[in-house]
Amino acid sequence: MLGQFFHKPTSDESARVPPGQHLSKGFPVLTYGETPEISLEDWQLKVWGLATPKTFTWSDLMAMPKSNFTADFHCVTHWSKLEVKWTGIKVTDFMKFVEVNPQAIHVMEHCYGGYTTNVSMEDFLREDNFFAYEVFDEPLPPDHGGPLRLVVPHLYAWKSGKWINGLEFLDHEELGFWEQNGYHKRGEPWAEERYSD
């Protein structure tokens, strides 16, 4: 597999590649279960928990400030892809439309298909996080989480929930699907936080 689909980072790239990772020549698709197909007309993003309940439509999303992003992407299964080009909405811009109780310290990402993953508020609110609806100047395909996914570049990619449709704000840590099944509760690539102890 190494050589055909993946390669070791060059000396120029090595500072950007966490330990144990190889660079992908493509953009692999890894999904647990079936890939949901959601029309833009039916798509919704709901906010609840320790936040004023609110439902956003695709039109609401498209009315928010649009930004372009270039971010490295690290999967827990030992591959990385550098300089992925995305278009979407900064989490910090999105949060200007949400009222959150100060007691909220964690966010549970809910996704079409029943998938969940958790992040702390500190990790969620970083300036470099965003909701993506385009990749490499094309609409984000369902296999990569379209129509919308969260992208959290500083954590392993399972924390970047595909097909996102809900944000539940919590006053405690609650583990999502993969975290309940043995993955690390945070997932920091540079510390190789792949699995729970």
Side-chain angles (χ1 to χ4, degrees):
M1 293 281 284
L2 190 63
Q4 184 177 1
F5 301 108
F6 304 95
H7 67 276
K8 292 181 180 179
T10 65
S11 55
D12 291 340
E13 296 167 330
S14 60
R16 294 167 59 188
V17 180
Q21 299 290 104
H22 291 93
L23 292 179
S24 172
K25 294 181 178 178
F27 198 175
V29 173
L30 295 177
T31 298
Y32 177 83
E34 294 187 12
T35 298
E37 298 272 352
I38 309 105
S39 71
L40 300 185
E41 293 76 20
D42 294 334
W43 180 90
Q44 293 182 332
L45 176 61
K46 296 183 178 181
V47 169
W48 73 97
L50 288 177
T52 302
K54 195 168 185 178
T55 299
F56 296 89
T57 66
W58 193 256
S59 295
D60 294 330
L61 199 75
M62 292 299 101
M64 295 181 188
K66 168 183 172 180
S67 299
N68 295 316
F69 309 89
T70 300
D72 298 342
F73 196 78
H74 307 295
C75 182
V76 71
T77 58
H78 298 277
W79 64 264
S80 293
K81 186 167 182 64
L82 303 183
E83 297 189 8
V84 181
K85 298 186 184 303
W86 309 86
T87 301
I89 297 155
K90 287 183 179 182
V91 166
T92 51
D93 285 340
F94 173 83
M95 291 299 291
K96 294 173 184 174
F97 299 89
V98 177
E99 295 180 18
V100 178
N101 187 309
Q103 293 182 344
I105 59 171
H106 276 267
V107 184
M108 183 67 74
E109 303 167 38
H110 292 262
C111 306
Y112 286 101
Y115 176 77
T116 58
T117 189
N118 65 296
V119 290
S120 68
M121 284 290 283
E122 182 179 1
D123 283 321
F124 178 67
L125 294 175
R126 284 174 58 132
E127 188 66 27
D128 53 352
N129 296 342
F130 53 93
F131 296 96
Y133 53 81
E134 290 182 5
V135 63
F136 297 116
D137 300 317
E138 297 289 340
L140 186 62
D143 282 349
H144 283 296
L148 189 78
R149 76 177 299 163
L150 180 65
V151 180
V152 183
H154 69 287
L155 300 180
Y156 282 124
W158 91 81
K159 294 293 187 176
S160 298
K162 297 180 180 180
W163 317 296
I164 193 158
N165 75 336
L167 297 171
E168 181 184 7
F169 292 89
L170 304 165
D171 63 359
H172 60 282
E173 183 178 49
E174 201 169 295
L175 302 182
F177 174 82
W178 284 114
E179 295 82 14
Q180 292 177 31
N181 285 280
Y183 277 40
H184 195 277
K185 61 185 181 181
R186 181 159 187 255
E188 215 280 36
W190 293 96
E192 291 198 83
E193 293 177 340
R194 300 178 193 274
Y195 309 109
S196 58
D197 296 332

